[in-house]
Amino acid sequence: TLRLHFSRRARRELCEASPSKLRKGVFLYMIAIIDYGVGNLFSLRSSLRAIGAQAEVTGDAAVLEKADKLILPGVGAFADAAALLRRDGLDRVVISQARTGKPLLGICLGMQLLFDRSLEYGKHAGLGLIPGTVEPIREVIPAGYKVPHIGWEGLHFPKDKPASPLFRYIREGDCVYFV
């Protein structure tokens, strides 16, 4: 596990969010990246380790149950990914762990899998952790817009919504790369 040493301010902010999980600038919790055969797992693990997190790529239910946090990545078609999750019973593990209140982050297709269903190439059941349906957006995108949008773009925040703490270090107009 890599160890990072944080400034006093950063350590205070992190400890306020999770006081029992950070001591002397070292993350003490384990993040499990769910391996069900879909996604860029090892790049994600390397990124987490680079910031000092203990991260493990695993499809082992026992490891997922012991982990403090879960990440469900994914790339590809919804139906195929859902079938792979179900093949090894990982769907039941993810659902049971999420229902205990364990933090679960879905990335890309992994986020879509958290919904009740998807209409991508038919109707397919998801994990049912988020009520709703993942629907194709091509029909509602104005002509001339490229989908998916990939490239640099300035961020613009809604004026009628409260500012998110996720963006506290980002200013209106800052450019980010969309993938």
Side-chain angles (χ1 to χ4, degrees):
T1 301
L2 296 174
R3 293 174 182 247
L4 291 181
H5 295 282
F6 297 98
S7 69
R8 285 186 179 138
R9 177 179 164 227
R11 189 173 19 243
R12 185 177 61 249
E13 286 180 13
L14 288 165
C15 286
E16 287 170 2
S18 183
S20 65
K21 298 299 181 181
L22 183 74
R23 295 291 178 259
K24 295 186 181 174
V26 179
F27 289 97
L28 300 177
Y29 54 75
M30 197 276 281
I31 300 170
I33 302 165
I34 303 164
D35 183 2
Y36 61 108
V38 178
N40 192 351
L41 309 173
F42 297 98
S43 175
L44 177 57
R45 181 186 66 188
S46 296
S47 297
L48 290 167
R49 287 183 174 177
I51 63 166
Q54 181 184 353
E56 184 173 339
V57 173
T58 183
D60 183 330
V63 175
L64 296 174
E65 290 166 356
K66 288 180 185 175
D68 297 294
K69 300 169 187 285
L70 301 175
I71 298 179
L72 181 63
V75 174
F78 187 100
D80 295 340
L84 288 169
L85 265 177
R86 288 183 178 95
R87 179 191 66 197
D88 297 323
L90 292 175
D91 60 327
R92 293 187 307 277
V93 176
V94 171
I95 292 167
S96 69
Q97 292 302 295
R99 288 189 176 148
T100 69
K102 182 177 289 186
L104 169 62
L105 172 67
I107 298 177
C108 297
L109 178 58
M111 179 67 182
Q112 294 178 27
L113 289 166
L114 301 179
F115 283 83
D116 290 325
R117 72 196 63 77
S118 172
L119 302 180
E120 180 188 54
Y121 306 115
K123 187 174 181 179
H124 308 284
L127 298 175
L129 294 169
I130 300 174
T133 301
V134 177
E135 299 181 27
I137 62 170
R138 283 221 189 268
E139 294 77 29
V140 298
I141 300 296
Y145 281 84
K146 185 180 175 194
V147 176
H149 175 68
I150 298 175
W152 288 98
E153 191 68 52
L155 289 179
H156 302 284
F157 303 103
K159 304 294 183 224
D160 61 336
K161 305 263 190 233
S164 168
L166 291 174
F167 300 114
R168 69 177 172 223
Y169 301 115
I170 299 173
R171 294 182 315 265
E172 178 80 16
D174 280 355
C175 287
V176 297
Y177 193 80
F178 288 88
V179 179

